[in-house]
Amino acid sequence: MAYSSRSSKRGALLAGAVAALGLLTACGSQDVHSTPQKVSGTAVPATETSSNSASDATTAAPSTPGGGTPTTTHKPTAAPDDGTGTKAGSAGGRCHTSELRASVGRNNPGAGQENFPVVLTNKSARTCTLRGFPGAAFVNASGSQIGKDPKRESGSPATVTLKPGQSAWAGLTFSNPEVSGAGTGTPAALVVTPPDERDPLQVAWTAGPVPVSGNSSSVFLTVFSPGTGA
């Protein structure tokens, strides 16, 4: 009986130890193999439905020490472009029609030719440039063109820089109608368009008849040169 009691106690102790070990093993297994839990936070996943949150995160104003309002750095505003590649108020760039005044100089005839300088003067407050040929046409009192479009004489265009008040001139040449026998008309004005511009200037024509028809009715223009051609 004494042996059986001792054996029963030993068995009870062994069973308790085994149970305790099993409990410890089960707890360790749960810690290692359990599914990770999601933890709530402030991060937003980059998905199509979170574009507003991403935008808010990008544009949010940074905080400053002491809770004050952050100072915003403003970039300087560039001068507006006038639509032709020239910054408003800047020097350089081509002369625009609104910046020029047109006139026709005195005739310098020779060898049956009539030669007039067509002068453009910079009336603006900035320096600008002219390069190439003007556009030109004779018109009557109603504004309709008379005669053919002038032709361009051969020549190499050069850039002419005009400071305020300075001028450039292009030659306008045609054969004297009394010599050539061409048909004539008496224009009321000469319309002049600066190079690369669309808006024309108009100058009263007071030099009498010009050729408008016939084989010798051509009018020619030269490229702009510095000065007034006087």
Side-chain angles (χ1 to χ4, degrees):
M1 294 295 293
Y3 178 81
S4 298
S5 176
R6 187 180 299 114
S7 298
S8 297
K9 290 180 180 179
R10 183 181 301 170
L13 291 173
L14 181 59
V18 171
L21 181 59
L23 180 61
L24 291 173
T25 304
C27 292
S29 175
Q30 182 177 357
D31 291 342
V32 174
H33 299 289
S34 60
T35 302
Q37 296 180 355
K38 294 183 180 180
V39 180
S40 61
T42 59
V44 179
T47 64
E48 293 182 359
T49 59
S50 64
S51 59
N52 291 337
S53 299
S55 176
D56 292 342
T58 302
T59 58
S63 60
T64 57
T69 302
T71 302
T72 302
T73 301
H74 295 281
K75 294 182 179 181
T77 303
D81 197 313
D82 63 3
T84 61
T86 301
K87 299 296 183 182
S90 67
R94 78 169 185 264
C95 300
H96 303 306
T97 301
S98 61
E99 299 174 307
L100 298 169
R101 179 177 65 253
S103 59
V104 176
R106 185 175 57 185
N107 184 20
N108 184 24
Q113 293 291 113
E114 309 297 326
N115 305 298
F116 297 87
V118 178
V119 182
L120 294 181
T121 301
N122 181 6
K123 66 177 185 179
S124 75
R126 75 179 184 100
T127 298
C128 59
T129 60
L130 292 175
R131 180 183 176 87
F133 297 85
F138 292 112
V139 296
N140 58 24
S142 63
S144 298
Q145 181 174 341
I146 61 173
K148 301 176 182 179
D149 289 335
K151 298 179 180 180
R152 294 178 175 182
E153 288 191 347
S154 60
S156 299
T159 299
V160 181
T161 300
L162 300 182
K163 294 180 180 180
Q166 290 186 331
S167 301
W169 70 281
L172 183 147
T173 303
F174 54 85
S175 297
N176 186 314
E178 294 182 1
V179 175
S180 67
T184 63
T186 302
L190 176 69
V191 174
V192 181
T193 306
D196 299 316
E197 291 290 299
R198 293 175 180 244
D199 296 328
L201 298 166
Q202 188 165 298
V203 185
W205 182 261
T206 59
V210 299
V212 296
S213 63
N215 294 332
S216 301
S217 60
S218 296
V219 178
F220 295 90
L221 291 168
T222 67
V223 297
F224 276 106
S225 299
T228 61

